[in-house]
Amino acid sequence: MNAEKEKKIGLALGGGAVLGAAHVGVLQVIKEYDLEITHVSGTSIGAFVAAFVAFGKDWKEIREIASELRWLDLTGISLSRFALLSNEKLGNLVVKHIGDRNIEDADIPLAMVATDVNNGKRVVLKKGPVAKAVMASTCIPGIFIPVEMDDMILVDGGVVEGVPVEALKELGAKKLVGVDLNAKHNYGHPENILDVIMNSFRYTMQAAAELQTKNADILITPDLSEFNRSSMDQVKALMEKGYEDAKKQLKKVFEKK
């Protein structure tokens, strides 16, 4: 593969709740190495970030959006029998920054992964409203109300594909770069109900994630063991850690000895 083609990558952004802020640091390193993202996919919080990447937001703009987030800004008490909270405000945030757009309108081909709880099947969203797709992919089971789409009832894509490398491949990407926020994460003692649910949720996904990422040409695995999944106070530190670890890993690939 020549140098020009080496600079073109497809990017698969994995889930991890608040750990997703580390994706911003990864994007900064990608920019520093002048890599061109030709396709992007996302699962859970990775879908939220991927949507902004696909619609032309650079890492600095995404950093500002992420820095403004507060957990209570993203949730609202729900009267649904399926969950305690709604993540509609997360969808509204997407609309605020990129408009009421469809996935197929993106500047960069975009796919987001969700799970149909009718049958447990993996659903790759490549068309339709971006905000609704983001809400579906980030819908933590038992926490957020599932998103109804056609005859499907959709929840977090992490149930079936925590790091959407295969979805990226299906988009047509040639060089596959995955970002796994959970590979080196130390779950630790849960501090609240969200941590309990997220820890239980991710434990079941770990073995599957190893299989799902084996086809990645490059797998970025920041060590986020010092962080929990729910505190928004960690956002800045997570961005910095994502940057530091991605820099170390990509340096081995893109800097000549």
Side-chain angles (χ1 to χ4, degrees), residues 23 32 44 136 150 170 187 194 197 230 235 251 257:
H23 284 317
E32 288 181 0
S44 199
D150 298 325
E170 291 167 10
Y187 290 83
L194 180 63
I197 292 175
S230 58
V235 166
K251 182 177 182 179
K257 300 290 185 181

Side-chain angles (χ1 to χ4, degrees), residues 147-200:
V147 173
E148 295 187 31
M149 191 178 296
D150 298 325
D151 294 325
M152 301 180 293
I153 299 179
L154 302 178
V155 298
D156 198 303
V159 174
V160 289
E161 191 175 14
V163 184
V165 172
E166 189 61 27
L168 189 64
K169 188 176 180 180
E170 291 167 10
L171 276 179
K174 301 302 181 185
K175 191 172 185 66
L176 309 176
V177 178
V179 184
D180 188 347
L181 305 179
N182 300 293
K184 298 179 180 178
H185 187 256
N186 178 19
Y187 290 83
H189 187 77
E191 298 179 6
N192 51 52
I193 187 174
L194 180 63
D195 284 346
V196 171
I197 292 175
M198 289 300 298
N199 282 9
S200 302

Side-chain angles (χ1 to χ4, degrees), residues 18 20 40 87 105 109 130 137 140 149 168 174 180 237 239 244:
V18 175
V40 62
N87 67 347
D105 298 329
V130 178
S137 188
I140 303 168
M149 191 178 296
L168 189 64
K174 301 302 181 185
D180 188 347
M239 292 178 188
E244 291 169 5

Side-chain angles (χ1 to χ4, degrees), residues 48-90:
F48 176 74
V49 177
F52 292 120
V53 171
F55 279 85
K57 299 294 184 183
D58 63 25
W59 72 267
K60 292 181 181 179
E61 292 173 294
I62 298 172
R63 179 186 62 186
E64 292 306 309
I65 295 169
S67 297
E68 295 172 2
L69 300 184
R70 293 293 180 272
W71 180 248
L72 291 178
D73 289 341
L74 304 183
T75 62
I77 298 299
S78 163
L79 298 178
S80 170
R81 58 197 171 98
F82 292 120
L84 299 173
L85 302 170
S86 165
N87 67 347
E88 184 176 1
K89 290 183 179 179
L90 189 62

